[in-house]
Amino acid sequence: MKPHVNFRSGVPVYLQIVQQVKAAAAGGALRPGEALPSVRALAEELRINRNTAARAYAELESEGVIETRQGAGCFLKANGVSPLKRAVRSDRLAAELDAVIVQAHHLQVGDDDLKSLLAARLEAFRERQQTRSAD
Amino acid sequence: MKPHVNFRSGVPVYLQIVQQVKAAAAGGALRPGEALPSVRALAEELRINRNTAARAYAELESEGVIETRQGAGCFLKANGVSPLKRAVRSDRLAAELDAVIVQAHHLQVGDDDLKSLLAARLEAFRERQQTRSAD
Amino acid sequence: MKPHVNFRSGVPVYLQIVQQVKAAAAGGALRPGEALPSVRALAEELRINRNTAARAYAELESEGVIETRQGAGCFLKANGVSPLKRAVRSDRLAAELDAVIVQAHHLQVGDDDLKSLLAARLEAFRERQQTRSAD
Amino acid sequence: MKPHVNFRSGVPVYLQIVQQVKAAAAGGALRPGEALPSVRALAEELRINRNTAARAYAELESEGVIETRQGAGCFLKANGVSPLKRAVRSDRLAAELDAVIVQAHHLQVGDDDLKSLLAARLEAFRERQQTRSAD
DNA sequence: GTGGTCTAGACCACC
DNA sequence: GTGGTCTAGACCACG
């Protein structure tokens, strides 16, 4: 697990880390119970401040993605049930989808093309998961 | 050209505008020489501060994407970004969709639900466009 | 709204602020839509660092208690529906109740006395709310 | 004397122990001269580090609440805290209950649900005690 | 003016 | 060694 970070993207560094850890967890590159790099190691690796790395992990913990144990480290949680209500989860996804739709509109990608693209990416995602879990 | 803005994404508003103008140029939705909304109109439309709208345009001008002519407005530069091929545009969208898929995984929203959600949001988007163009 | 803070209690300062804002909101001392002191003002008032005050507000926002608008300030949210599932909410309360039960046990306060005490405090709480809303 | 510890409360573990020993003394559950569990036993019981348990006892000793006699163990000081009156003990609990009530308000758990929850947790607590004393 | 992010460095709690 | 909190001060985004 080695996140990498783009300092010029305008996206806060700690959020970039959050997204990458989530992606690794979702894709099976990180297994439940597996340890993440320590806050200090991550900070050194990415050449960021320790506080920034800690903030990323704090955010991940509050979202229920990882578990942090004082003095021991941070570990990927088993992907339990999300504590959020179903409607709330849909709303959050909808907000993200809306941004994609706007971008598709500007790129003049049609609705049907966008739908097929989603289907294709979903398939690719599931395939990657299969491969990982077969390791 | 009607940018949309998400205040909660963590991405600075002015950057979201910049990215969308670029996308519109790349997708051909904006043609060379075509006019963009005035700073004042854009600010009103998006309910943002004029400074923010002005900053987005300043950034675009400094990157050579648009040209501002005093008293006349902002126009897409003729020798600006040329429209991208269809495949390239799909690739850009694919990256964004992948992020949504990761999020859906953590929110425990299934593939089919995600597809339905996309369809629903697309419909809502089209409807909003109808309303706006009827203004 | 003037929180006060105990630096020796061992409870993190930012959490003390969080709890006090929550209490004020629950008790009606803060009204929905009302502005909280600015991060800078709060920091000065409590003689804490600006970051610590900001962290308290960030936590409150992530819990859905307040809304923060860039450049405008922080405002108490209308007490909408909690985004958490019912079972999760009960679990969180149960954890807090357990701590009280342990304390009651050590203080040798019986089960029935504890139950009556809760009933009494609930009544007092509702009465305070009534008074406030009648202002 | 069986302290319980909550690792997620934000309050340092050693302080939780200190507070509970004090509460037990104040409530009369611990009598002057009575022995406390050994550092080793306490650490094992609570699954904490021996250093943490030792630190709690050191704090209690420095406050004059307990006395450690080399090779014999820790004992509540004869001239330590005297048991509090019933009313005072209730007051202490009331403050904790008030915090729970605030939390319940934000989690939108009704008064009756809260009362039932307390009853349920009390029952669970008594059951746990049975199990332990049967060891 | 507002809040948000990041850095640097200190100290604490815990294993 | 681990993570957590706090301070001090800089710079950015936004109204």
Side-chain angles (χ1 to χ4, degrees), chain C residues 5-27:
Chain C
V5 142
N6 178 354
F7 292 94
R8 296 186 192 173
S9 71
V11 180
V13 171
Y14 81 96
L15 276 184
Q16 293 183 44
I17 298 171
V18 165
Q19 287 160 1
Q20 287 178 44
V21 171
K22 278 184 175 180

Side-chain angles (χ1 to χ4, degrees), chain A residues 45-61:
Chain A
E45 172 89 25
L46 301 181
R47 305 199 166 194
I48 59 176
N49 190 275
R50 198 157 77 76
N51 289 334
T52 305
R55 185 172 182 183
Y57 281 178
E59 175 74 18
L60 284 165
E61 169 151 52

Side-chain angles (χ1 to χ4, degrees), chain D residues 63-97:
Chain D
E63 291 189 35
V65 178
I66 66 171
E67 189 179 23
T68 66
R69 292 200 286 269
Q70 281 293 352
C74 296
F75 305 86
L76 191 64
K77 264 202 176 173
N79 54 352
V81 188
S82 58
L84 297 171
K85 282 186 185 166
R86 191 189 151 84
V88 179
R89 287 183 269 147
S90 285
D91 280 357
R92 290 205 182 175
L93 275 180
E96 299 193 32
L97 279 176

Side-chain angles (χ1 to χ4, degrees), chain D residues 112-128:
Chain D
D112 292 335
D113 287 343
L114 181 56
K115 287 176 189 170
S116 323
L117 195 56
L118 174 63
R121 300 310 300 176
L122 273 170
E123 203 169 328
F125 180 71
R126 295 302 165 206
E127 213 161 281
R128 249 177 293 149

Side-chain angles (χ1 to χ4, degrees), chain C:
Chain C
M1 183 65 211
K2 280 188 185 179
H4 57 103
V5 142
N6 178 354
F7 292 94
R8 296 186 192 173
S9 71
V11 180
V13 171
Y14 81 96
L15 276 184
Q16 293 183 44
I17 298 171
V18 165
Q19 287 160 1
Q20 287 178 44
V21 171
K22 278 184 175 180
L30 270 176
R31 308 278 178 109
E34 193 174 335
L36 279 77
S38 78
V39 167
R40 285 165 173 84
L42 183 64
E44 201 168 323
E45 172 88 24
L46 301 180
R47 306 200 165 192
I48 59 176
N49 190 274
R50 199 157 76 74
N51 290 334
T52 304
R55 184 171 183 185
Y57 282 178
E59 174 73 17
L60 284 165
E61 169 151 53
S62 84
E63 290 188 36
V65 177
I66 68 172
E67 186 184 347
T68 106
R69 293 199 287 269
Q70 274 266 40
C74 295
F75 305 86
L76 191 64
K77 265 198 181 175
N79 192 8
V81 183
S82 166
L84 297 174
K85 286 178 181 164
R86 188 185 168 72
V88 175
R89 289 181 276 146
S90 285
D91 280 359
R92 298 210 174 164
L93 262 189
E96 298 198 28
L97 277 177
D98 283 350
V100 176
I101 289 170
V102 168
Q103 204 68 359
H105 173 242
H106 288 135
L107 287 169
Q108 297 203 307
V109 170
D111 290 7
D112 291 335
D113 287 344
L114 184 56
K115 287 177 189 171
S116 325
L117 193 54
L118 174 63
R121 300 311 299 176
L122 272 171
E123 203 170 331
F125 176 70
R126 294 303 168 200
E127 206 161 295
R128 254 175 292 147
Q129 276 193 319
Q130 292 289 330
T131 320
R132 286 264 162 60
S133 64
D135 283 353

